[in-house]
């Protein structure tokens, strides 16, 4: 979610895409026989940032990736359990450090080349041997969240790599070796960032040639014009000017072919505009339905799906921003100042709840016996006074032009939270920034931010994916270094016994809520809606909806 596209890359994509602009429009509605709808236009809240999921962590890039690419293992439809993907089976050795994957046969990439064990190794070796800007956390965020470092770390602060080697034993058998047992394997391999790419296309379009600077990243043409996977849809065009990303059915798909001929993701950043586009028929579905619109649209006959609340909205506190924020009493004061229940009741959808941990209570390791921070303005003022921070001033960043599953209306959320802070004597300096790339860059790097809100939707059903992703190592978003906490995360990650690991997760949740690096605010069940005649899509807690099964009722 942090990787911005360069101006040069945008221009290149726009030029290429404009050549095919309008093609998708001619496909909408009925097919050439005039009898069957075969094009779905789906409204999304923001633009994808890059088309190579190796470089992505934002929801819209990953939405596209899940249709075009496939992974060795994938989530069960509508759930979080690990199920077969491009691999039919996966088995660890006795030590739990080498996993053998038996691959599906007869699978081809969109360029006609074979998917096999050698292709798997090309992909893993590409990530592992990354150099230069590919080692930036803004470029390969998920590799670093899961695997840590690289074959040769260029930054001494990078940890050793969890990944060790890939060995193709025969065409359909591959061994992935790791340096230690990890809770992340194999579940993390469901992430779109571990999608399999065509080795031929990777070489042809110089996929690892990330240029520019950390402030102005220039992605290769593979990542903006030529993504090549094995999925049920193939990339057709990215028309940046008209805010559309067009995919077409993969007629040579090895599994059940997509029922749609064409799938178009159209960016409509305004929530009300998405709703009106659905009602007018300009789009046939959209994501992140406003809480107040769920029942009315359902009553009008639209197909409303509600995802389980597998997410967290949090207020992050940067201890390297204002020096006062390094004092736990100040962080406690902020927590007591926030009326989180009022926010849930007034701004979030039915079924939302106040968060007690930085992960939902449906994930094993959640702990109901952590330190609680009830809404108590008087206590907040007292703590600020004890810390010598009664005249505290904070820069409060919040995003614009975006809606996220955990964050339906950022401006409304900002106004409520800032009013709570002002009520206990904190001076708030608003810093509104466009979501991508300005807000994401500003809040996840450097120290020029004090507080901001952000969130996380789970990628798989293990607590580490929530709390470990946020707090297992130093990060600019939070600005702290807590070695005992980091060491306990390392212990949890390397504990093979699931029961013992869950107990460590419970301890970690208690430690986090005592240390209080930020304030967990809420968990929300986001809604996704389709047209009255659209069926076949199942809501996923991971936002892993499969558009290949979508179809229009006759």
């Amino acid at each position: 979610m942090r990787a911005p596209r360069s101006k040069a890359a945008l221009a290149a994509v726009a030029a290429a895409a404009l050549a095919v602009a309008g093609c998708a429009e001619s496909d909408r509605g009925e097919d050439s026989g005039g009898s069957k709808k075969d094009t779905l236009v789906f409204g999304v809240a923001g633009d994808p940032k890059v088309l190579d999921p190796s470089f992505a962590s934002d929801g819209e890039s990953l939405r596209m990736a899940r249709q075009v690419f496939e992974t060795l293992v994938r989530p069960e439809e509508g759930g979080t359990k690990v199920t077969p993907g491009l691999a039919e089976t996966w088995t660890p050795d006795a030590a739990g450090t080498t996993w053998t994957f038996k691959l599906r046969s007869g699978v081809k990439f969109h360029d006609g080349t074979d998917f096999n064990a050698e292709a798997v190794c090309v992909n893993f070796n590409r990530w592992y041997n990354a150099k230069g800007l590919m080692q930036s956390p803004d470029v390969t965020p998920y590799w670093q969240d899961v695997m840590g470092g690289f074959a040769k770390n260029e930054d001494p602060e990078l940890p050793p790599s969890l990944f060790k080697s890939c060995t193709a034993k025969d065409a359909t058998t591959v061994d992935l070796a790791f340096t230690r047992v990890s809770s992340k394997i194999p579940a993390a391999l469901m992430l779109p960032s571990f999608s399999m790419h065509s080795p031929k296309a990777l070489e042809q379009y110089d996929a690892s040639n990330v240029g520019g600077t950390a402030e102005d990243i220039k992605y290769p043409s593979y990542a903006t014009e030529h993504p090549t996977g094995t999925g049920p849809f193939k990339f057709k065009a990215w028309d940046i000017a008209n805010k559309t990303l067009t995919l077409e059915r993969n007629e040579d798909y090895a599994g059940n072919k997509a029922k749609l001929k064409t799938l178009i993701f159209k960016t409509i950043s305004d929530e009300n505009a998405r709703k009106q586009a659905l009602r007018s028929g300009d789009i046939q579905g959209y994501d992140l339905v406003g809480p107040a619109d769920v029942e009315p649209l359902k009553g009008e006959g639209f197909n409303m799906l509600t995802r389980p609340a597998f997410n967290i909205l949090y207020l992050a506190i940067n201890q390297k921003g204002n020096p006062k924020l390094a004092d736990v009493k100040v962080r406690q004061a902020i927590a007591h100042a926030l009326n989180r229940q009022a926010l849930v009741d007034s701004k979030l959808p039915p079924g939302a709840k106040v968060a007690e941990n930085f992960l939902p209570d449906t994930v094993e390791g959640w702990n109901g016996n952590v330190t609680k921070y009830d809404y108590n303005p008087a206590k907040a003022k007292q703590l600020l006074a004890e810390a010598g921070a009664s005249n505290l001033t904070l820069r409060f960043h919040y995003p614009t032009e975006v809606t996220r599953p955990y964050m339906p209306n950022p401006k409304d959320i900002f106004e409520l939270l800032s009013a709570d802070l002002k009520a206990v004597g904190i001076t708030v300096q608003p810093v509104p920034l466009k979501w991508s790339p300005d807000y994401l860059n500003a809040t996840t790097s450097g120290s020029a931010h004090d507080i901001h809100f952000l969130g996380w939707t789970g990628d798989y059903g293990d607590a580490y994916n929530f709390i470990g992703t946020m707090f297992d190592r130093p990060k600019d978003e939070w600005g702290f270094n807590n070695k005992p906490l980091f060491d306990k995360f390392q212990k949890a990650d390397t504990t093979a016994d699931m029961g013992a690991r869950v107990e460590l997760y419970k301890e970690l949740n208690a430690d986090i809520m005592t240390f209080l690096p930020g304030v967990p605010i809420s968990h929300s069940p986001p809604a996704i809606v389709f047209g009255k005649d659209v069926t076949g899509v199942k809501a996923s807690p991971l936002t892993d909806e499969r558009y290949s099964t979508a179809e229009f009722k006759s």
Side-chain angles (χ1 to χ4, degrees), residues 167-244:
T167 304
K169 300 178 73 174
D170 58 48
T172 59
T173 309
V174 64
D175 281 353
L176 296 181
F178 301 91
T179 57
R180 54 180 171 79
V181 171
S182 173
S183 65
K184 304 167 189 173
I185 306 301
L189 300 183
M190 298 191 297
L191 292 166
S193 295
F194 293 99
S195 295
M196 293 292 106
H197 304 252
S198 160
K200 177 183 176 182
L202 291 175
E203 181 178 3
Q204 182 177 356
Y205 300 109
D206 208 10
S208 296
N209 186 19
V210 179
T213 65
E215 293 73 32
D216 184 20
I217 298 167
K218 300 183 186 302
Y219 290 105
S221 64
Y222 179 81
T224 57
E225 300 174 69
H226 303 287
T228 309
T230 60
F233 289 99
K234 300 192 297 185
F235 172 76
K236 182 177 181 181
W238 187 10
D239 186 342
I240 293 172
N242 288 311
K243 293 186 170 292
T244 58

Side-chain angles (χ1 to χ4, degrees), residues 235 237 244 275 307 344 398 424 516:
F235 172 76
T244 58
K275 177 177 61 179
R307 301 185 182 102
V344 166
Y398 71 93
V424 300
L516 203 65

Side-chain angles (χ1 to χ4, degrees), residues 317-457:
I317 301 173
N318 177 22
Q319 295 183 37
K320 284 188 178 178
N322 188 315
K324 289 290 186 182
L325 296 176
D327 188 332
V328 69
K329 287 188 175 182
V330 174
R331 302 197 298 275
Q332 291 170 346
I334 291 171
H336 283 296
L338 302 180
N339 191 343
R340 293 176 289 165
Q341 188 64 58
L343 188 154
V344 166
D345 291 343
S346 63
K347 299 300 178 184
L348 300 183
K353 61 175 69 173
V354 171
E356 294 183 7
N357 294 194
F358 279 85
L359 77 171
D361 59 11
T362 54
V363 179
E364 287 190 285
W366 182 88
N367 187 349
N369 295 316
V370 301
T371 304
K372 308 288 200 307
Y373 299 90
D374 59 311
Y375 174 54
N376 191 332
K379 189 168 185 178
K381 291 178 182 178
Q382 177 188 337
L383 287 164
L384 288 171
E386 291 175 3
S390 295
N391 296 315
L392 184 65
T393 297
L394 297 177
R395 296 165 293 183
F396 192 164
H397 285 62
Y398 71 93
T400 63
E401 300 182 40
V402 70
T403 305
R404 302 307 309 139
Y406 47 80
M407 183 176 68
N409 193 320
K411 191 171 188 294
D412 286 354
I413 294 171
F414 165 77
E415 289 174 350
L416 282 177
L417 296 182
S418 62
D420 288 342
L421 296 173
K422 291 174 184 177
V424 300
I426 296 173
T427 299
V428 173
Q429 295 179 344
V431 186
L433 291 174
K434 183 181 178 183
W435 172 253
S436 173
D438 303 350
Y439 184 76
L440 295 175
N441 287 350
T443 57
T444 59
S445 60
S447 59
H449 54 103
D450 296 334
I451 58 174
H452 66 275
F453 52 88
L454 205 54
W456 183 261
T457 297

